[in-house]
Amino acid sequence: SGDDLWETKIKGINWMVADETEKEIYGFETTSNGKNTRIHKIGSNGEELWQDDRKVQGIVSNFEILPQGLAVVSDKSSGGSSSVFATKDESEIAFLSASTGEDLWEKAPKTKGYVQHFYVMDDGILFGIQQGGINKIGFDGKTLFKKPLKTGENIMIMAHTPQGLIYITSEDTNIVNL
């Protein structure tokens, strides 16, 4: 009919994502200075489901609703004339509880760059970094590779194949056994 079913007032929501059931909605609010993002959880009746919103540093660039929790990638920037290669400019990966919004990881693993590719696998999250490198984090927050795979900068393609993980950068191509 086009009639409003409910309305709720949460200022500053820039974008939203619903879960598969469309019973839970996540709203993202970038703070006025652009340094943080606040995440709100709203029910299908418009009620806020988390007691407090959750703040992550930077601007959210990827958000996945998983059975184990919420995977959030946010990009931090030192601002001004920064480039993606500045040392303070990097992505953070957080893993939040869907029920409370609490961070499930005591300490987020360092990415040492911007997350350019992000894949959820059975045993964790595989990610590729703009500045070069591929790593994998388990759902418990611990890295699954002893050290990141070295790649050239700017991973253009990263895909899972029967032979392994293929990646293509502006400098090299490789297939890696995960």
Side-chain angles (χ1 to χ4, degrees):
S1 69
D3 294 340
D4 289 342
L5 297 177
W6 54 264
E7 184 177 313
T8 189
K9 296 235 186 266
I10 301 174
K11 62 177 181 163
I13 297 280
N14 302 88
W15 57 286
M16 299 185 300
V17 175
D19 71 346
E20 278 185 14
T21 67
E22 297 184 358
K23 300 226 182 308
E24 297 174 342
I25 302 163
Y26 297 92
F28 300 85
E29 166 195 357
T30 305
T31 56
S32 57
N33 63 6
K35 296 235 183 262
N36 301 307
T37 301
R38 295 190 171 278
I39 305 172
H40 305 265
K41 184 174 182 181
I42 305 151
S44 58
N45 59 357
E47 155 190 21
E48 283 205 61
L49 298 178
W50 288 342
Q51 193 164 0
D52 296 312
D53 57 31
R54 293 292 161 230
K55 182 174 87 172
V56 293
Q57 290 186 349
I59 294 175
V60 173
S61 59
N62 203 322
F63 179 80
E64 297 276 343
I65 302 168
L66 307 173
Q68 302 89 336
L70 310 169
V72 183
V73 178
S74 58
D75 297 338
K76 299 188 306 185
S77 170
S78 52
S81 60
S82 67
S83 88
V84 293
F85 301 107
T87 53
K88 287 184 182 175
D89 298 353
E90 66 178 1
S91 298
E92 277 195 0
I93 302 175
F95 205 65
L96 309 178
S97 161
S99 57
T100 65
E102 296 293 328
D103 198 332
L104 297 172
W105 293 344
E106 281 184 33
K107 189 175 180 200
K110 293 276 183 212
T111 59
K112 297 188 172 122
Y114 279 122
V115 173
Q116 191 174 24
H117 297 274
F118 182 85
Y119 300 99
V120 176
M121 305 185 87
D122 292 342
D123 57 348
I125 299 166
L126 184 72
F127 61 94
I129 300 297
Q130 163 91 39
Q131 291 83 338
I134 295 173
N135 210 338
K136 190 174 188 182
I137 305 174
F139 294 118
D140 59 359
K142 299 198 175 21
T143 52
L144 298 178
F145 294 166
K146 284 184 179 161
K147 56 185 182 174
L149 299 172
K150 289 191 173 171
T151 69
E153 292 175 357
N154 190 21
I155 302 170
M156 294 179 274
I157 294 176
M158 198 168 128
H160 203 270
T161 70
Q163 292 82 20
L165 175 76
I166 187 169
Y167 70 84
I168 301 172
T169 72
S170 49
E171 301 168 16
D172 64 344
T173 299
N174 205 347
I175 295 179
V176 180
N177 180 337
L178 290 175

